[in-house]
Amino acid sequence: MAKAPVLTPRADDFPRWYQDLINKAELADNGPVRGTMVIRPYGYGLWERMQQEMDARIKRAGAENAYFPLFIPQSYLTREAEHVEGFAPELAVVTHGGGKELEEPVVVRPTSETIVNDYFAKWVQSYRDLPLLINQWANVVRWEMRPRVFLRTTEFLWQEGHTAHATYEDARDYAAHIHREVYADFMVNVLGIDVVLGRKTASERFAGAVNTLTLEGMMGDGKALQMGTSHELGQNFAKAFGTRYLSRDGRQEHVWQTSWGSSTRMVGGLIMSHGDDSGLRVPPRLAPVQVVVLAIKGDEAVLAKVREVGDRLAAAGLRVRVDDRTDTPFGRRAVDWELKGVPVRIEIGPRDLEGGTATLVRRIPGGKEPVAVDALAALLPGVLEEDQALLLRQSRERRAARTADVATVEEAVEAAVAGGWARIPWAVLGEEGEARLAEHAVTVRCLVAEDGAVPDADDAPGNVAVVARAY
């Protein structure tokens, strides 16, 4: 009999493969309340690395970290009508506390534009206080009807940036800077996902924004995933909360604002972009563990060499884990690291000691080869960079191969239903065509200019709609 696969093959059942991988790679479990999740240490390690890389970029963009309360007075949300309407179906509302009914219900944070503005209105007095650039790492709650671990959960972790500016142009440019220099730079150069940068249509725009910039990634099954968004809020929230400043010429003016966010959804994107039938494949620049050094047997000389190699590689600046758990069969440990997607395994046994070699196993391209132990510290950085580049190239090639240029709504639906993306002129599609797509569970993921750049307006000449089914 053929040995049963560790994971459901992706080609057989992609959603089941996704769940199998999350369970067997020990990334997360379902929480006790429907739609919540418990992120296990290895999964949280991926999120921590995402945080570190993103946080450094956010700080380079001039934003500082702060923290705002989890509970928001319900009345705050009603001040911006479009915002509350957009979030009303997802709100979790607390009506009792301390055994008593609250005088005013409080909302569990779905996003923080309202409470941030309440404080921005206190903190901003004059043009000298601008720009005000704030970011927070926090959890949010949005009551999810169709939960899926990492992709759509009732509670998830994220960062949300909130800024106030003196002019429309300054706010617009800052939102674009975050979109390009923080999000795109991270997703392309660290996650290895070839995202498309574009502009959301009016119907897909964030509630209360005047423009939403998005980053869309193609997953392994051809569906799209929104990986992050950066919003121009105009003066909508500033007017609702009275966030004003004294200008240089002595006039009271409303600030112009942005908000922007990315979340643990990126872990789901990582899985679905790079995973294969053997498990996860983690980009080396992201990986919490870039190299695992495995002892094949519990021989004392082998164990000593494994620990020595681990120390040497760590001293060379690599993120290393030593696996000397020889009371667990070697085959099982190798499969576990394969599932977790660690980019490189170094396997050392008694025969390797005799020849001064180790077996180098590369998770991303596959394959194994003997390598001199003394050469590992110099060899591995180049190997890891090669594998990082390969993941990005595979992501780019998949999107190119599965994106069709079409001329009609019917052709766009056909391409999306078949498991790909379609590009169609926005002048051909328009809002009426967008509504027709929705009847087939297909959405406009973003608008791009003819040359692939981010357009300046929804109706800019030559705009192209990128359409797909999405998570």
Side-chain angles (χ1 to χ4, degrees), residues 130-414:
L130 299 173
L132 180 55
L133 313 174
I134 295 291
N135 177 65
Q136 89 166 337
W137 292 94
N139 59 343
V140 292
V141 171
R142 299 178 185 176
W143 216 258
E144 183 56 56
M145 295 298 103
R146 295 180 299 279
R148 186 172 297 181
V149 173
F150 288 122
L151 299 178
R152 289 189 175 276
T153 48
T154 296
E155 179 191 10
F156 54 91
L157 306 180
W158 78 344
Q159 59 72 215
E160 52 175 319
H162 300 274
T163 71
H165 304 260
T167 67
Y168 159 73
E169 291 78 13
D170 194 34
R172 177 201 62 196
D173 292 349
Y174 194 79
H177 180 83
I178 293 293
H179 187 223
R180 184 179 60 252
E181 302 299 330
V182 174
Y183 291 156
D185 181 66
F186 167 70
M187 291 169 192
V188 172
N189 294 316
V190 179
L191 290 188
I193 299 175
D194 186 42
V195 289
V196 171
L197 282 69
R199 179 185 183 103
K200 286 291 190 184
T201 62
S203 66
E204 293 287 326
R205 194 176 292 150
F206 177 73
V210 298
N211 180 32
T212 290
L213 303 173
T214 185
L215 303 100
E216 303 287 329
M218 179 183 279
M219 302 297 101
D221 61 350
K223 288 186 178 179
L225 183 71
Q226 178 181 290
M227 301 284 289
T229 48
S230 182
H231 315 290
E232 297 173 38
L233 301 180
Q235 294 179 310
N236 291 345
F237 289 91
K239 289 177 179 177
F241 284 82
T243 313
R244 291 189 292 263
Y245 72 98
L246 188 67
S247 69
R248 288 179 184 272
D249 54 11
R251 288 190 311 221
Q252 285 288 328
E253 306 274 2
H254 285 102
V255 299
W256 298 83
Q257 293 184 271
T258 77
S259 68
W260 26 278
S262 61
S263 74
T264 39
R265 168 178 284 202
M266 291 191 294
V267 179
L270 174 75
I271 296 166
M272 294 193 298
S273 289
H274 299 318
D276 62 18
D277 285 348
S278 296
L280 192 56
R281 294 188 303 164
V282 182
R285 292 181 188 171
L286 177 76
V289 180
Q290 295 174 310
V291 183
V292 60
V293 187
L294 283 88
I296 294 176
K297 291 190 175 178
D299 180 288
E300 283 302 320
V302 168
L303 293 174
K305 177 58 72 173
V306 161
R307 291 161 188 158
E308 175 196 323
V309 169
D311 289 343
R312 194 183 305 169
L313 296 180
L318 300 172
R319 294 186 289 277
V320 181
R321 181 79 57 85
V322 170
D323 186 345
D324 54 7
R325 302 167 298 154
T326 51
D327 53 344
T328 299
F330 170 75
R332 177 177 171 182
R333 288 183 288 133
V335 168
D336 284 347
W337 290 115
E338 185 112 329
L339 281 164
K340 286 180 165 64
V342 170
V344 168
R345 298 201 309 271
I346 304 298
E347 300 173 353
I348 300 176
R351 291 181 186 175
D352 299 297
L353 284 186
E354 294 174 9
T357 63
T359 300
L360 168 62
V361 184
R362 294 172 67 173
R363 176 68 182 90
I364 291 164
K368 59 175 66 178
E369 61 179 310
V371 174
V373 168
D374 291 343
L376 285 171
L379 176 70
L380 288 182
V383 165
L384 293 171
E385 282 302 297
E386 284 178 16
D387 293 353
Q388 178 79 32
L390 176 60
L391 285 177
L392 179 60
R393 186 164 67 250
Q394 289 175 341
S395 173
R396 182 172 293 134
E397 289 171 352
R398 177 174 63 239
R399 181 167 63 81
R402 298 176 74 166
T403 300
D405 286 301
V406 302
T408 67
V409 173
E410 291 71 25
E411 289 174 338
V413 169
E414 184 179 354

